[in-house]
Amino acid sequence: MHRQPLLDALETYFSRHPAEAETVGPFRQFVEAEPDCFERHLSKGHVTGSAWILSSDQQRVLLTHHRKLNRWLQLGGHADGDPDVLAVALREAREESGLHDFELVLPGIFDLDIHPIPARASEPAHFHYDVRYLLLATGDESYTVSEESHDLSWVPLSEVPQRVQETSMLRMLEKCQNIQPGIA
């Protein structure tokens, strides 16, 4: 089954983060129940892949001021049928930033989130089942703003709480700081 690698990764994630059962349970149920969970056409929701990208000095995170949602967020996007969600997160990170060189900081999933996406034009309101990975930029950190963003910015980790309001973004910041003792 093409969903089994993600289901296995969700199980591993849950074993590391049992306090997140309220997210992992519904996420797992969605993936088990929906054979098309990686397809954007699934109108109730779909799996997305995201990247929390740290600078090489591990003191900044690359955020996008998302054009459609008009908020500062991590980079990421739709799986569009690809069940390899890490590959999706890496593809989206490259497409949305112009950066090419990344290193996976942790094996497996860094964070999970289920969040609503408002209706827009012909697209109904739906949910993104977002799988997030922790990446380190290892090459040139000069980015290019894509048409999906108003802007990109390397934000010092200490300034993330002033830039974002989403609980899940602050949770990733906290996880990042707990995993990397040298991170501010």
Side-chain angles (χ1 to χ4, degrees):
M1 173 176 40
H2 69 290
R3 294 170 285 160
Q4 195 59 52
L6 178 54
L7 290 169
D8 293 345
L10 290 171
E11 189 61 36
T12 300
Y13 180 82
F14 181 62
S15 70
R16 287 194 318 252
H17 301 282
E20 295 185 33
E22 288 182 21
T23 300
V24 179
F27 205 117
R28 183 186 302 133
Q29 290 168 358
F30 172 75
V31 173
E32 288 173 341
E34 298 295 342
D36 286 345
C37 64
F38 300 107
E39 300 290 347
R40 190 186 308 215
H41 69 75
L42 186 60
S43 62
K44 69 167 84 174
H46 30 263
V47 173
T48 56
S50 293
W52 182 263
I53 303 170
L54 292 175
S55 58
S56 60
D57 66 2
Q58 300 181 1
Q59 298 301 306
R60 298 166 292 140
V61 63
L62 186 61
L63 299 180
T64 176
H65 191 246
H66 196 275
R67 187 172 296 279
K68 290 181 183 175
L69 298 175
N70 201 31
R71 293 184 300 207
W72 287 99
L73 301 168
Q74 77 284 350
L75 284 69
H78 293 96
D80 289 327
D82 188 348
D84 183 344
V85 190
L86 173 57
V88 171
L90 286 165
R91 179 188 74 226
E92 293 293 329
R94 289 179 178 118
E95 287 177 2
E96 293 182 6
S97 72
L99 301 178
H100 296 285
D101 301 314
F102 300 104
E103 183 179 297
L104 188 62
V105 175
L106 297 172
I109 298 169
F110 172 59
D111 190 65
L112 288 174
D113 194 55
I114 303 170
H115 51 267
I117 300 297
R120 187 174 172 275
S122 64
E123 185 177 274
H126 60 281
F127 289 93
H128 278 179
Y129 291 79
D130 199 27
V131 182
R132 296 155 171 192
Y133 295 90
L134 180 58
L135 303 179
L136 183 70
T138 57
D140 182 6
E141 294 180 5
S142 303
Y143 55 77
T144 303
V145 179
S146 77
E147 59 188 43
E148 294 185 33
S149 302
H150 290 298
D151 197 7
L152 291 175
S153 181
W154 283 108
V155 178
L157 294 174
S158 61
E159 295 176 18
V160 170
Q162 290 79 38
R163 186 79 60 109
V164 303
Q165 291 77 40
E166 286 79 13
T167 303
S168 73
M169 298 281 291
L170 298 174
R171 183 179 62 239
M172 285 191 290
L173 174 64
E174 182 179 345
K175 283 181 179 179
C176 184
Q177 292 168 327
N178 290 336
I179 290 169
Q180 299 289 351
I183 294 175

